[in-house]
Amino acid sequence: MNRFNNFLLALVTGLVFQMVVFGQADQGAITGTVTDAQGGVVTAAQIKLTNTDTNFRLETTTDARGVYTFQPIRIGHYTLDASAPGFATTTQQGLEVQVNQRLGVDISLRVGAQTEIVNVSANAIPLLQTEDASTGKVISSQQINDTPLAGRNYVWIAQLTAGVAPATANSPGNATGSFYANGQRSVQNNFILDGVDNNSNSVDMLNGAVYVVKPPPDAL
C-alpha cells in the first residue's frame, strides 16, 4: 500500500510539474516601478493591463516599493494604464511581449487630475533587458520566410543567434541543423511545439534529428 501511495504521489507531482512547464511555454511578464516627477515611488497606484489583441484586462496595484508585476501573461500586444490620487492617468501604448520575455516598463506620473490622460509611446522603453539574466532571441515569421533554409528546416535559423554555433560533424543531428548554444551540447537543446515537448529521447537514426516534429516554416 505504501509503495502504491508513493507511486501515486510521484505521478501527481510529475503531472503538476508538466503543467507548470508547458503553461509557461508561450507566456511572458511585464513589470516596472511607478514614480512621481521627483523620482519618489508611488505606492498603491492602480495599474491596468489590456491585451489589445483580445481586450482581456488585468488589474493590480504597486507595492511599498512602487513595483507592479503581471506574470504570467500571454504573448501579444498590450496597453498599460497607471493612475493614483493626485496624479494624471498615464497610458503606455504599443507594448509587445515575446515568448519568455520579462518586459520592464517604468512609469513616471505627473501631478494632475486622474481624469487627465498622458499617452506615452513604447519607443521610450530601453532595448536592453535588465529584469533577468537570461538571453534569447525572437525570430519573426517574416524573417523565417525571407531566410533560405535547407530542406525548409526552421532549426537552421537558430544558428543566426549570438552564442550559437553549428554542431560538429560527429554530433547527433548535425545534418538537420543541430547546434551548440553557449557551449551547451546539441542533445541538451529543448524543442517545444505549441507548449508540447518535441524532443526525441534518443537520436532519431532515420531522420538524423534530435527533435520529433518538423513543422514547415510557413506554419511558424
Side-chain angles (χ1 to χ4, degrees):
M1 186 66 179
N2 289 335
R3 294 175 62 184
F4 174 76
N5 289 338
N6 291 337
F7 172 76
L8 182 61
L9 177 60
L11 178 61
V12 172
T13 303
L15 290 176
V16 171
F17 176 76
Q18 288 182 3
M19 287 189 293
V20 171
V21 172
F22 291 161
Q24 295 177 350
D26 60 347
Q27 297 174 343
I30 294 180
T31 185
T33 303
V34 178
T35 59
D36 58 23
Q38 285 71 43
V41 299
V42 180
T43 62
Q46 185 176 24
I47 313 296
K48 298 179 181 179
L49 182 68
T50 303
N51 186 317
T52 56
D53 301 320
T54 64
N55 280 332
F56 180 74
R57 174 175 290 186
L58 296 171
E59 296 186 13
T60 189
T61 57
T62 55
D63 60 18
R65 301 171 298 158
V67 176
Y68 71 90
T69 301
F70 292 99
Q71 180 182 9
I73 57 176
R74 298 298 300 270
I75 59 175
H77 302 86
Y78 290 89
T79 294
L80 198 64
D81 296 309
S83 61
F87 295 95
T89 298
T90 297
T91 298
Q92 182 84 52
Q93 299 176 329
L95 303 175
E96 183 176 4
V97 176
Q98 302 284 5
V99 177
N100 289 332
Q101 180 183 19
R102 190 172 178 85
L103 183 63
V105 184
D106 294 333
I107 299 176
S108 178
L109 299 180
R110 76 178 191 186
V111 176
Q114 283 185 273
T115 53
E116 296 181 56
I117 298 178
V118 178
N119 291 313
V120 181
S121 170
N123 292 331
I125 299 175
L127 296 178
L128 180 63
Q129 176 175 297
T130 59
E131 283 66 39
D132 61 42
S134 64
T135 60
K137 183 177 180 63
V138 176
I139 308 297
S140 68
S141 57
Q142 185 65 46
Q143 289 175 291
I144 294 175
N145 291 332
D146 292 344
T147 303
L149 299 173
R152 288 175 55 79
N153 185 354
Y154 72 97
V155 179
W156 291 104
I157 206 168
Q159 298 183 17
L160 301 178
T161 305
V164 174
T168 56
N170 59 345
S171 296
N174 170 263
T176 54
S178 288
F179 55 88
Y180 299 145
N182 295 302
Q184 181 172 270
R185 294 182 179 181
S186 59
V187 293
Q188 294 175 311
N189 295 320
N190 186 25
F191 293 90
I192 298 177
L193 180 62
D194 289 339
V196 178
D197 188 300
N198 190 32
N199 300 285
S200 177
N201 293 328
S202 59
V203 178
D204 185 343
M205 302 306 295
L206 178 62
N207 299 309
V210 293
Y211 51 82
V212 179
V213 178
K214 185 185 74 173
D218 314 281
L220 302 176

